[in-house]
Amino acid sequence: MSYGDAMNARVRSEERRAEIVRAALEVIAERGYRGASLGAVAERVGLTQQGLLHYFPTKDALLVAVLKERDQWDAVPNTRWRIDLLASLVEYNAMRPGIIQTFSALLGESVTEGHPAREYFTRRYVEVRASMAEVLRAEYGDRLPNGLTPERTAPLLVAVMDGLQYQWLLDPESVDMPGAFRDFLSLLGENAD
């Protein structure tokens, strides 16, 4: 096999893996992780289950690829998060309900003992809380106008973001996710009386 043929084969393999990850995102959004089967994902991309296992040897390996793909979409390259970027991220999320549904379904399922995404989400929340504390410190210093420290406020900020996603997914006509998040951000800047 020539170098060019090898490169073409590698590109086709990477494209196929990306197609499988997108199909897995859809199946997980529809059925949840536990209800999603490798067979259903394989069928969606026109493979046999054995063919899919060539690309992802286990369901857990596919789940990890799905979570990494989702993280890539939310990455802010070569810059730090800022409060205004957080509001933009919430607006962006409102334009991609399938991804948010998949993430929320996996997050909800991951709280059970032995779930393959439990460690991922536990680690992710440690990192996200630390990142949000940095965002808050850059914006407000060591104390927010309401008197809380960035470390005390960061879990609240993350809870509002994720909680709004669940409410919005359940009733998108009644919940203005970006507007509610902007309202919460305005509360952060208010003095406690």
Side-chain angles (χ1 to χ4, degrees):
M1 180 182 282
S2 72
Y3 176 76
D5 290 342
M7 289 301 294
N8 286 337
R10 180 179 169 169
V11 167
R12 283 192 306 274
S13 178
E14 289 174 10
E15 288 171 352
R16 189 61 149 169
R17 286 177 61 86
E19 180 184 11
I20 293 167
V21 169
R22 283 191 302 274
L25 277 163
E26 294 170 3
V27 172
I28 292 169
E30 294 165 6
R31 305 176 187 185
Y33 176 74
R34 296 202 193 281
S37 69
L38 290 175
V41 175
E43 182 179 318
R44 198 157 290 196
V45 294
L47 288 172
T48 64
Q49 187 168 329
Q50 197 62 32
L52 185 133
L53 292 173
H54 170 75
Y55 297 95
F56 296 97
T58 65
K59 187 177 176 184
D60 290 356
L62 182 54
L63 173 63
V64 168
V66 165
L67 292 171
K68 285 181 178 176
E69 181 73 13
R70 191 257 182 209
D71 283 348
Q72 289 300 313
W73 294 330
D74 290 347
V76 177
N78 301 323
T79 187
R80 290 178 42 158
W81 280 104
R82 299 184 321 256
I83 291 287
D84 61 320
L85 290 178
L86 294 178
S88 296
L89 174 61
V90 173
E91 290 173 11
Y92 176 56
N93 284 345
M95 295 184 292
R96 53 189 194 146
I99 299 300
I100 301 310
Q101 185 177 13
T102 302
F103 176 82
S104 298
L106 287 171
L107 175 58
E109 289 179 350
S110 74
V111 300
T112 59
E113 198 62 41
H115 191 279
R118 185 180 181 109
E119 181 182 324
Y120 166 85
F121 280 110
T122 300
R123 185 180 66 253
R124 181 182 183 279
Y125 273 113
V126 168
E127 293 168 1
V128 169
R129 286 189 303 267
S131 178
M132 293 304 108
E134 287 180 26
V135 167
L136 293 165
R137 181 165 280 103
E139 182 78 15
Y140 299 106
D142 290 334
R143 293 259 176 213
L144 278 73
N146 60 23
L148 294 176
T149 64
E151 288 73 24
R152 296 265 320 267
T153 306
L156 302 173
L157 178 62
V158 175
V160 167
M161 290 178 84
D162 287 352
L164 282 171
Q165 286 181 164
Y166 277 107
Q167 292 179 58
W168 174 74
L169 286 168
L170 290 168
D171 192 2
E173 298 301 316
S174 297
V175 177
D176 174 9
M177 185 169 59
F181 186 71
R182 283 190 301 275
D183 291 344
F184 175 75
L185 291 179
S186 72
L187 293 174
L188 294 179
E190 293 183 5
N191 289 316
D193 293 327

